Amino acid sequence: MQYLPIFLNVRAQNCLIVGGGEVAYRKAVLLDKSGARLRVVAPDIDDLLETLVIAGAGELHRRPFAEADLDGVFLVVAATDDEDVNAAVSAAAKARGLPVNVVDKPSLCSFIVPSIVDRSPVVIAISSGGTSPVLTRKLKEKIEVLVPAAYGRLALLLGKYRGRVKSMITEGKRRTRFWEALLSGPLSEMVFAGKEEDGKRYIEQHLALADYLDVRGEVFLVGAGPGDPDLLTLKALRLMHEADVVLYDRLVSKEIMARVRPDAEKINVGKERSNHLVPQEEINDMLVRLAREGKRVLRLKGGDPFIFGRGGEEIDQLAEARIPFQVIPGITAASGCACYAGIPLTHREYSQSVRFVTGHLKNDTIDLDWPTLASENQTVVFYMGLVGLEVICAQLIAHGMAADMPIALVQQGTTANQKVLTGTLESMPALVAANEIQAPTIIIVGRVVKLRPLYSWFGG
């Protein structure tokens, strides 16, 4: 992040605005709404700005800026059309360690003012770091539609109960669960519909049952998809925000991890070939132990938990320990990477079936049903087959598949680092040797690969 998002309490604080025109007026309105005491300095001050300052018992100084104007000030805004004046205000404020904003000049700012969606006391701030005000305005428009004005009333209602809930439910974890259970029910819709008395009764009912609140742990096995965070399911995103602790593997991109609840504990248990950071048995034990501590545990896996994700092994132990769990499917690598590479896995003319198999090399061999896989009218997708690629190609040819059968290798599919190599069974090992390929990869074998030049849309 270029800027730290922060909300400043300017209530009853002296805030200096240098400038007297329309831009200065807009900044003054925002500060006045936040309870600041305004000090405006400019040779000419518009009538609207003058009226606002007088109504708020602020100060008006019709003259050029002087460094003494910074005395006793909490925050500074420079909003003139004179670049030299703006630069002088910025330098003087920074010399005193005062936060300063120079309108439309990020290089002179120590803070910038975001676009705001006001649902007081809920306030949403949006910023592009000063790079694109129009983009932030468009995002503000979208959020204005998505967040009803009644969220402010909901926040005020909840605030009335905060102290009481804190005194009744002293344990932090149990108190958090209480609020989450409350907001997962019909309370929000009651308030949005103007039925706040019904909402109060609903809260009272939950408070009466607070002693019986279940704080058992639970495990969420969530498929994170092949890498593009926009491919996460809505349920996956919701549970990523609810988890207390996250166990994730190396296939989960940092962009996806950025969507996890910020204060959740994050444990890297990622495994790669010949380097198991945490053995599977230990992961299974960890899931049980953390859930028994009353935590909501997110087991975040690349792709889909049930397709070469060892989700079944983890569920076995959870079920045996009677730990509640949910399994949330994700877009598996075969589907996601093939789609982003422009390769349909099935096609009426070329492939009537598709097989997902593991190409993991063990003792320099891959134990698979090669005669079945060598069938012409199907697509075969190999997971974890990069190291064993030469064996895969040789075995398919040896069992009757044509040496000129099209094959594609997709590196880090659906991400900005996606790279696609296409060739034939005969040529692909040499192509891979001549290129720098980085895991994770999938291998797609079948006549459908030759459709890529027509269907490619994502790049790579």
Side-chain angles (χ1 to χ4, degrees):
M1 291 188 299
Q2 185 178 357
Y3 293 91
L4 174 68
I6 191 167
F7 288 84
L8 287 175
N9 182 5
V10 298
R11 188 163 298 279
Q13 299 283 355
N14 292 320
C15 293
L16 172 66
I17 297 176
V18 180
E22 181 183 349
V23 175
Y25 173 71
R26 290 202 302 267
K27 300 300 180 184
V29 169
L30 188 61
L31 288 167
D32 180 72
K33 194 173 182 180
S34 301
R37 287 198 300 261
L38 300 177
R39 178 184 297 174
V40 176
V41 176
D44 297 302
I45 299 173
D46 287 356
D47 292 343
L48 281 175
L49 180 55
E50 178 181 354
T51 300
L52 179 69
V53 174
I54 292 173
E59 303 175 27
L60 288 169
H61 301 281
R62 284 186 168 85
R63 55 171 173 73
F65 165 74
E67 189 173 337
D69 292 324
L70 298 172
D71 293 346
V73 162
F74 179 77
L75 177 148
V76 181
V77 175
T80 79
D81 55 6
D82 187 320
E83 292 188 5
D84 292 337
V85 172
N86 289 341
V89 173
S90 174
K94 289 178 179 178
R96 296 195 182 198
L98 295 173
V100 59
N101 172 262
V102 179
V103 178
D104 291 334
K105 200 72 174 178
S107 62
L108 296 179
C109 298
S110 61
F111 77 93
I112 58 177
V113 180
S115 291
I116 292 171
V117 177
D118 189 359
R119 302 289 185 264
S120 293
V122 176
V123 178
I124 302 169
I126 312 140
S127 172
S128 65
T131 60
S132 179
V134 174
L135 175 61
T136 55
R137 191 183 76 226
K138 288 295 183 183
L139 289 172
K140 170 183 163 66
E141 290 172 6
K142 289 180 180 293
I143 295 172
E144 290 276 8
V145 173
L146 291 172
V147 182
Y151 267 103
R153 299 204 311 272
L154 176 61
L156 289 171
L157 177 61
L158 295 174
K160 293 176 182 177
Y161 285 89
R162 187 176 180 188
R164 185 174 162 195
V165 170
K166 190 172 183 178
S167 64
M168 289 182 62
I169 309 174
T170 56
E171 186 194 354
K173 186 188 302 180
R174 186 178 290 273
R175 189 164 59 246
T176 298
R177 295 287 177 89
F178 170 83
W179 288 118
E180 289 175 342
L182 202 62
L183 289 169
S184 296
L187 176 63
S188 299
E189 288 302 325
M190 290 176 182
V191 175
F192 296 165
K195 301 177 181 178
E196 293 190 28
E197 291 304 317
D198 290 348
K200 292 177 182 178
R201 284 190 289 271
Y202 184 78
I203 295 173
E204 294 291 348
Q205 290 168 4
H206 272 66
L207 279 171
L209 299 172
D211 290 340
Y212 306 100
L213 186 66
D214 186 2
V215 291
R216 288 185 307 162
E218 185 176 5
V219 175
F220 314 131
L221 271 71
V222 172
D228 183 351
D230 286 344
L231 296 179
L232 287 164
T233 65
L234 293 175
K235 189 167 187 179
L237 276 171
R238 178 170 62 80
L239 295 178
M240 287 165 69
H241 292 159
E242 291 184 6
D244 301 309
V245 58
V246 182
L247 278 62
Y248 65 98
D249 63 37
R250 72 181 182 92
L251 297 178
V252 180
S253 67
K254 61 183 180 181
E255 291 82 9
I256 288 173
M257 285 301 297
R259 309 266 179 121
V260 170
R261 178 174 142 191
D263 61 336
E265 180 185 0
K266 300 170 184 68
I267 303 173
N268 182 2
V269 297
K271 298 186 291 296
E272 56 185 315
R273 187 176 182 269
S274 305
N275 181 22
H276 288 202
L277 190 63
V278 179
Q280 184 63 49
E281 295 75 15
E282 189 174 333
I283 294 173
N284 298 346
D285 292 340
M286 199 182 302
L287 293 173
V288 172
R289 174 177 57 80
L290 291 169
R292 281 178 171 164
E293 292 174 2
K295 295 177 180 177
R296 285 164 304 185
V297 186
L298 176 69
R299 177 67 175 104
L300 196 56
K301 297 170 174 286
D304 181 274
F306 279 1
I307 298 183
F308 304 121
R310 305 187 76 169
E313 298 174 42
E314 294 168 352
I315 282 181
D316 283 343
Q317 196 151 335
L318 293 170
E320 184 179 343
R322 298 184 180 278
I323 301 294
F325 62 85
Q326 299 181 47
V327 183
I328 291 79
I331 294 177
T332 188
S335 178
C337 296
C339 179
Y340 275 53
I343 301 172
L345 292 178
T346 62
H347 190 281
R348 185 171 61 180
E349 295 181 17
Y350 301 109
S351 174
Q352 288 73 54
S353 64
V354 59
R355 291 175 178 266
F356 300 163
V357 295
T358 176
H360 183 64
L361 195 65
K362 186 175 183 181
N363 298 325
D364 296 324
T365 63
I366 304 174
D367 185 17
L368 293 171
D369 184 1
W370 294 109
T372 301
L373 294 179
S375 174
E376 289 276 331
N377 296 321
Q378 66 177 358
T379 306
V380 185
V381 182
F382 291 87
Y383 287 68
M384 299 167 285
L386 180 59
V387 174
L389 175 66
E390 191 169 349
V391 173
I392 290 169
C393 294
Q395 287 287 351
L396 289 173
I397 293 172
H399 286 83
M401 187 172 274
D404 67 353
M405 176 64 73
I407 177 174
L409 183 145
V410 185
Q411 167 193 288
Q412 298 179 355
T414 78
T415 73
N417 296 321
Q418 175 172 297
K419 183 176 183 179
V420 183
L421 291 180
T422 58
T424 64
L425 288 178
E426 190 173 49
S427 67
M428 184 56 76
L431 284 172
V432 170
N435 289 271
E436 293 184 7
I437 301 299
Q438 299 178 0
T441 63
I442 65 161
I443 298 165
I444 305 171
V445 181
R447 299 290 178 195
V448 291
V449 172
K450 70 181 184 179
L451 297 170
R452 170 172 156 74
L454 295 174
Y455 297 164
S456 179
W457 61 275
F458 181 68

